[in-house]
């Protein structure tokens, strides 16, 4: 009997974990608050830092920087905000001299596709929770030949 119970547990446990990770959540900032914190990792051949605020004022904000050879290559200002019962991620890029890449009123926008307990998927960017102190961010980057390269940022939280 104990053997049957053990086998049943082994079969059902992965199914319940899968159901939890694929459960769709409402497009609310509190459902993605796990993104908040000071994150560090590597990408683009350098060191990356991304610092996300806790949700407040119907938004979360972040600053990002890429360091190559002990010099900042570029910065980003990012926000996720609640708009019309959904979320949108918007960002602007800046050179190491803080001169903007986009025009004054232009932002790079990523509409929300879905939220689960461990993922936030925007069109062109997604966040994946690996644990309380680790996440991956995947960004679609258009290449000169028109193809899309998915760049993975693996972050650890301070």
């Amino acid at each position: 009997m104990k053997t049957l119970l053990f086998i049943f547990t082994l079969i059902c446990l992965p199914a319940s974990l899968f159901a939890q990770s694929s459960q769709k959540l409402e497009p609310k900032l509190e459902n993605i608050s796990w993104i908040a914190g000071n994150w560090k990792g590597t990408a683009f051949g350098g060191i990356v830092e991304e610092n996300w605020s806790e949700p407040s004022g119907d938004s979360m904000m972040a600053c990002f920087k890429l360091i190559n050879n002990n010099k900042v290559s570029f910065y980003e200002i990012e926000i996720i905000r609640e708009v019309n019962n959904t979320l949108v991620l918007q960002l602007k890029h800046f050179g190491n001299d803080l001169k903007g890449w986009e025009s004054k009123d232009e932002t790079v926008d990523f509409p929300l596709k879905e939220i689960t307990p461990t993922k936030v998927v925007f069109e062109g960017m997604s966040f994946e929770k690996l644990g309380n102190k680790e996440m991956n961010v995947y960004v679609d980057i258009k290449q000169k030949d028109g193809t899309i390269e998915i760049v993975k940022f693996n972050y650890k939280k301070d």
Side-chain angles (χ1 to χ4, degrees), residues 14-65:
S16 67
L17 290 175
F18 176 76
Q20 179 186 8
S21 68
S22 63
Q23 172 193 7
K24 303 284 192 285
L25 301 177
E26 287 187 73
K28 301 287 183 192
L29 290 170
E30 64 257 19
N31 289 328
I32 65 168
S33 63
W34 56 265
I35 294 172
N38 300 313
W39 300 92
K40 293 186 174 135
T42 57
F44 298 122
I47 298 167
V48 289
E49 297 179 17
E50 195 161 330
N51 300 299
W52 279 96
S53 71
E54 294 286 340
S56 63
D58 295 330
S59 70
M60 294 175 72
M61 70 172 186
C63 54
F64 166 96
K65 73 177 171 181

Side-chain angles (χ1 to χ4, degrees), residues 139-150:
V139 181
D140 295 356
I141 299 180
K142 190 173 183 178
Q143 304 299 301
K144 290 179 182 177
D145 65 2
T147 61
I148 301 291
E149 177 186 354
I150 299 172

Side-chain angles (χ1 to χ4, degrees), residues 1 12 32 39 41 55 61 83 94 109:
M1 184 65 167
C12 292
I32 65 168
W39 300 92
M61 70 172 186
V83 179
F94 300 89
D109 297 352

Side-chain angles (χ1 to χ4, degrees), residues 29 32 35 52 58-61 78-82 87-90 120 122 127:
L29 290 170
I32 65 168
I35 294 172
W52 279 96
D58 295 330
S59 70
M60 294 175 72
M61 70 172 186
E78 305 169 71
I79 62 170
I80 299 174
R81 59 191 185 108
E82 293 186 11
L87 300 176
V88 63
L89 185 150
Q90 297 175 288
V120 183
F122 294 94
F127 298 76

Side-chain angles (χ1 to χ4, degrees), residues 59-134:
S59 70
M60 294 175 72
M61 70 172 186
C63 54
F64 166 96
K65 73 177 171 181
L66 168 64
I67 302 168
N68 282 308
N69 300 318
N70 293 320
K71 296 190 187 290
V72 172
S73 296
F74 72 93
Y75 300 99
E76 288 178 357
I77 300 296
E78 305 169 71
I79 62 170
I80 299 174
R81 59 191 185 108
E82 293 186 11
V83 179
N84 299 326
N85 298 316
T86 191
L87 300 176
V88 63
L89 185 150
Q90 297 175 288
L91 62 84
K92 286 179 118 15
H93 297 91
F94 300 89
N96 63 3
D97 57 0
L98 215 54
K99 292 184 180 170
W101 294 4
E102 292 83 21
S103 66
K104 179 180 171 184
D105 294 332
E106 183 184 10
T107 58
V108 180
D109 297 352
F110 301 87
L112 181 67
K113 292 175 82 175
E114 71 177 13
I115 299 173
T116 71
T118 59
K119 281 191 180 176
V120 183
V121 181
F122 294 94
E123 194 171 301
M125 184 182 297
S126 61
F127 298 76
E128 177 185 32
K129 181 179 181 179
L130 301 176
N132 289 334
K133 295 193 172 228
E134 185 176 9

